[in-house]
């Protein structure tokens, strides 16, 4: 009889202990699987973006453009001068005597800044310059080869 009594007493406690152990094992296993998945993602996908980055084009020279006055959308004007840093591919040919013609760049300067408010020209200067540079580099890309690397502001006066 003592054996039956001890078996009844051990059974409920044994089930609870086994269930708790299974839950702990499940949690530990889940954490291990997530850690392995995170490590696999990091090694497989995170480093691949760095390997695919295109190298910086080789410097070819500079083309300074005459400053122009642009009427701003909210009134006032901006006198802006830019210099284009072109690539060795642009210096080698394809544009006459080497370098780049500034007509497209000046058109993009007018289009970009004539839509800006005076507060944007003063407060968001870097954002506007970045947008302008992106547009100019895109406009001077031929057959996937960029002809302009950077745009530098050489004059920037608002009124």
């Amino acid at each position: 009889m003592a054996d039956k009594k001890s078996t009844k007493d051990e059974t409920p406690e044994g089930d609870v202990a086994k269930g708790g152990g299974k839950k702990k094992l499940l949690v530990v296993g889940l954490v291990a699987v997530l850690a392995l998945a995170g490590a696999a993602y990091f090694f497989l996908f995170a480093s691949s973006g760095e390997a695919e980055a295109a190298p910086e084009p080789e410097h070819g020279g500079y083309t300074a453009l005459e400053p122009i006055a642009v009427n701003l959308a909210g009134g006032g004007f901006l006198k802006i001068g830019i210099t284009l840093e072109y690539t060795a591919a642009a210096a080698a040919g394809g544009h006459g005597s080497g370098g780049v013609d500034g007509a497209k760049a000046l058109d993009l300067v007018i289009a970009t800044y004539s839509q800006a408010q005076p507060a944007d020209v003063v407060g968001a200067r870097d954002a506007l310059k970045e947008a302008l540079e992106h547009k100019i580099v895109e406009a001077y890309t031929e057959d996937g080869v960029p002809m302009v690397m950077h745009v530098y502001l050489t004059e920037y006066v608002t009124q």
Side-chain angles (χ1 to χ4, degrees):
M1 258 185 151
D3 291 333
K4 289 181 182 180
K5 190 175 183 182
S6 64
T7 306
K8 287 182 179 179
D9 290 340
E10 290 177 12
T11 305
E13 292 173 6
D15 288 341
V16 172
K18 287 180 184 176
K22 287 181 183 178
K23 288 180 184 177
K24 288 180 185 177
L25 183 61
L26 181 63
V27 169
V28 169
L30 183 61
V31 169
V33 168
L34 290 174
L36 286 174
Y41 175 79
F42 177 78
F43 288 115
L44 294 176
F45 299 113
S47 63
S48 67
E50 295 172 8
E52 295 176 10
E56 182 79 11
E58 188 178 335
H59 170 75
Y62 298 97
T63 298
L65 305 178
E66 290 293 321
I68 60 171
V70 179
N71 291 324
L72 301 174
F77 71 92
L78 169 69
K79 184 175 181 184
I80 184 170
I82 63 170
T83 295
L84 305 174
E85 180 180 3
Y86 55 86
T87 63
H95 289 283
S97 63
V100 293
D101 177 30
K104 286 191 242 180
L106 290 176
D107 184 54
L108 290 169
V109 167
I110 293 168
T112 300
Y113 285 95
S114 66
Q115 298 174 11
Q117 298 292 325
D120 294 336
V121 170
V122 175
R125 178 184 168 271
D126 292 334
L128 284 169
K129 179 188 179 262
E130 186 177 317
L132 176 67
E133 183 171 323
H134 178 73
K135 290 177 185 178
I136 290 175
V137 168
E138 187 176 299
Y140 283 95
T141 299
E142 298 175 1
D143 299 325
V145 178
M147 298 296 163
V148 172
M149 298 170 55
H150 299 288
V151 176
Y152 302 100
L153 300 178
T154 57
E155 191 167 338
Y156 199 84
V157 180
T158 62
Q159 185 175 13

